Amino acid sequence: MTDKTKNLLIRTASGVVLLALVLAATLLNNMWIYAAFVIGISLIATLEFFTLAQKAGAKPSLVVGIVASMVVTVASTLVAFGQIEKSEFMYALADVLVYIPLAFVALLFGKHTNPIASVGATITAPLYIAVPMAMMTLLPSIYAPSDEWNGKIILAYILIVWANDVFAYLFGISFGKHKMCPTISPKKSWEGFVGGVVSACGFGILMGLWLEGDLLLWGILGFVVALSGVAGDLVESVLKRSVGVKDSGNIMPGHGGMLDRFDALFISAPIAFFAILIYNQLF
């Protein structure tokens, strides 16, 4: 067995495990399983982000950043499954903002050669990772406010994100001639970008048919998710290149870390959230 074949098998097996976890978290409609899923992603991705920050010379406060991320993730899960009222969720978000002054107070402990970077990394991690995970969790609540939480909506959103990623790659290796951002991600091409956007829009409409929903809304979601997803991938590439690493972690053999696998989601989830809100107001 060649190394290329071995790596492909490892990558495939890792992807199958991830898909199984996503399906279990979104289709079983079990709060505990879903909570474990989103908390696990948030926690691991936050630790990976802090590792990148440390390589850049910052010393973020792990306790402050992780606690803030966990509170946001858990609170959003509880409100999504009807365990707490939305008003209580807003109080929880207001309370967790105390982590911002605490990030500054944390500078008093330990030696910081770059205190501004340390505070910035501590504050950024929950905003970059946990808040988008919370907004993804609440997508069903704003999509169909009067219905019970439906994990299929989140599954459809994740599949659109992945469809954009997969088809952008396939179109890129097949037709890519014009580099998109050669200094950030040399393999990305404009042909791959267009292929990913078109595929995401088409896949969004398929998800709308599956859910028997508004096809225009799902087509729009496919478009905005594709655009923001590419931005998310490029953003993470910038972060990794700034510290000279290929992957954010190694928890997923063949795929890298959680930041590598969900980078598009962290940027696209808030935009998808507000796209649904705006659409509901207009139509």
Side-chain angles (χ1 to χ4, degrees):
M1 182 183 296
T2 64
D3 289 341
K4 186 175 182 179
T5 302
K6 184 179 179 181
N7 290 336
L8 179 61
L9 290 175
I10 292 174
R11 182 178 177 85
T12 301
S14 183
V16 169
V17 171
L18 177 61
L19 178 60
L21 292 174
V22 170
L23 292 176
T26 55
L27 296 182
L28 294 180
N29 278 4
N30 182 289
M31 185 181 72
W32 300 108
I33 294 176
Y34 182 81
F37 173 70
V38 292
I39 290 172
I41 292 174
S42 296
L43 177 60
I44 296 169
T46 298
L47 291 173
E48 290 174 352
F49 181 85
F50 282 155
T51 298
L52 295 178
Q54 289 169 345
K55 290 181 182 295
K59 290 183 65 177
S61 173
L62 300 182
V63 173
V64 173
I66 289 174
V67 170
S69 294
M70 293 304 97
V71 170
V72 172
T73 307
V74 171
S76 64
T77 302
L78 291 175
V79 73
F81 281 85
Q83 300 301 305
I84 61 175
E85 297 295 329
K86 291 183 180 180
S87 58
E88 294 174 319
F89 174 60
M90 298 307 297
Y91 281 119
L93 287 182
D95 290 342
V96 81
L97 289 179
V98 74
Y99 90 95
I100 295 177
L102 287 178
F104 286 89
V105 173
L107 293 175
L108 302 177
F109 305 92
K111 296 180 179 179
H112 295 268
T113 56
N114 193 340
I116 294 178
S118 299
V119 170
T122 303
I123 293 174
T124 299
L127 297 176
Y128 174 45
I129 297 166
V131 170
M133 291 300 293
M135 299 179 88
M136 181 189 74
T137 298
L138 295 172
L139 283 178
S141 302
I142 62 168
Y143 178 80
S146 61
D147 298 335
E148 292 185 1
W149 188 85
N150 184 358
K152 290 181 180 179
I153 295 169
I154 292 179
L155 175 60
Y157 160 71
I158 293 176
L159 291 178
I160 293 172
V161 173
W162 287 353
N164 173 63
D165 189 36
V166 169
F167 283 100
Y169 171 76
L170 293 177
F171 273 83
I173 61 174
S174 300
F175 309 106
K177 293 182 180 180
H178 301 86
K179 299 298 182 182
M180 189 176 181
C181 296
T183 59
I184 298 175
S185 186
K187 294 183 179 180
K188 287 196 182 316
S189 66
W190 284 107
E191 291 82 0
F193 169 73
V194 172
V197 171
V198 173
S199 300
C201 291
F203 208 81
I205 293 173
L206 287 177
M207 292 297 97
L209 288 170
W210 175 50
L211 293 169
E212 299 181 349
D214 187 327
L215 299 187
L216 176 60
L217 170 59
W218 282 98
I220 292 173
L221 280 177
F223 181 74
V224 299
V225 165
L227 294 183
S228 54
V230 170
D233 185 53
L234 292 174
V235 165
E236 203 228 351
S237 293
V238 169
L239 296 177
K240 291 188 296 183
R241 282 184 174 274
S242 70
V243 294
V245 299
K246 180 178 180 294
D247 297 320
S248 64
N250 55 13
I251 193 169
M252 293 181 59
H255 292 270
M258 285 297 176
L259 282 178
D260 297 312
R261 186 64 276 172
F262 291 98
D263 51 2
L265 185 151
F266 296 140
I267 298 296
S268 68
I271 296 176
F273 183 92
F274 284 109
I276 294 175
L277 283 181
I278 293 171
Y279 187 90
N280 287 341
Q281 290 295 319
L282 295 178
F283 300 95

